[in-house]
Amino acid sequence: RIADIARMYSGHLVALFILVAVPRATPDLLLTYVINRHGARNALPKSSFLKESASIGGVTLLPQGQKMCHDAGVAFYQRYINASTCARGNLCLAAGGDIDYGVIQQGDGFNNFNTYVRSSVTDRALLSAQSYLAGVFPAVPAWSNATAYLPTGQQPVPVYMAAGSDKDDTLVRAYTKCPVYDAQLASWYASPEFKAKEVESAGMRAAIEAATPVGLGLEFGLASWWNVYDAYNVWRAYGVGDAMPDIPQTLFEQARALAVWLELSKGASARDPDALLGGPLLSDAVRYMQAAVDARAQGDATYYRLLVVSGHYNVQLAVLAALRLDTHAAARAALA
């Protein structure tokens, strides 16, 4: 079965869960394939075609973003790993009683033979993965006194980069390197829909431009509107980036609504009808699903049952668009 599409965690972080159960009288959870977006980060200027600067790692994840991801990991732990809570819905991911990470002894715990975590090469996604896993596999107090473990009792879990460099990452960040998609975006920017939104939003955008200090490099056209909203948002929420003036809350909410419309429209299935952006990751998920089903049918317990991809809201939207779920109200609300 496929369920829990676009589930909201902690009010900030969205995860896409694909759950597979082998048909039987009492279905059990076979695997989870989790697609996370990173947590709160520093200001991130990007082009209208979603391109970023070439600086290694990009902008950093903020401490608040680490907490968001950790909270999402704790929610996952409670729902799918903690035996006292996951059993209520028959959703326990562990095959046996051992729920720790690492090859400690013979048992059914989590290790590199059944757990696979990948991330884009960006700082914000890599740190998000580490923070998330700290919640999924919480510290074990008893381990802190043993010389064989870290003094904090932490359970370290390896995070693999999806590619050696960002320019080679077509699994997680295909949306930044697809010329066909860029052409679709360019066509949409010239469309009647986009032009109408430009006219509709002109007054609000002009009001914010008038309130914004000059010299910040911001462009107030609709195609670049995300950067304007992002500059205000990270300053208001986290006090990072350029100092921005106070504007009325109603005006800020209008700016946010326009930015959400713009970003969701960029990632809509209408922009990517052939699933060029989300198709690779969706195919990857299906491949691991099939491998798990085949392994279970053969009585083989050695298969990947916990898979995590740490990425960006764009890739979540791309997968939803590939599934033609991007217009679903719950999915749009969770990604907003």
Side-chain angles (χ1 to χ4, degrees), residues 199-285:
V199 173
E200 175 191 316
S201 63
M204 182 271 291
R205 289 186 287 112
I208 291 185
E209 181 176 9
T212 305
V214 297
L216 299 182
L218 294 173
E219 298 178 4
F220 294 84
L222 180 55
S224 301
W225 186 249
W226 174 262
N227 290 337
V228 178
Y229 163 72
D230 190 53
Y232 273 92
N233 183 55
V234 298
W235 175 255
R236 289 165 70 99
Y238 310 113
V240 297
D242 292 313
M244 305 300 287
D246 288 331
I247 59 174
Q249 183 64 24
T250 54
L251 187 59
F252 176 74
E253 290 298 332
Q254 292 172 9
R256 180 184 184 278
L258 183 61
V260 170
W261 173 85
L262 178 66
E263 297 303 294
L264 291 182
S265 297
K266 287 179 184 177
S269 53
R271 310 285 91 74
D272 184 24
D274 297 321
L276 298 175
L277 307 186
L281 200 54
L282 186 58
S283 297
D284 185 76

Side-chain angles (χ1 to χ4, degrees), residues 119-140:
S119 170
S120 76
V121 303
T122 62
D123 176 284
R124 58 193 184 276
L126 287 163
L127 286 181
S128 289
Q130 294 172 357
S131 302
Y132 177 78
L133 291 168
V136 174
F137 296 105
V140 181

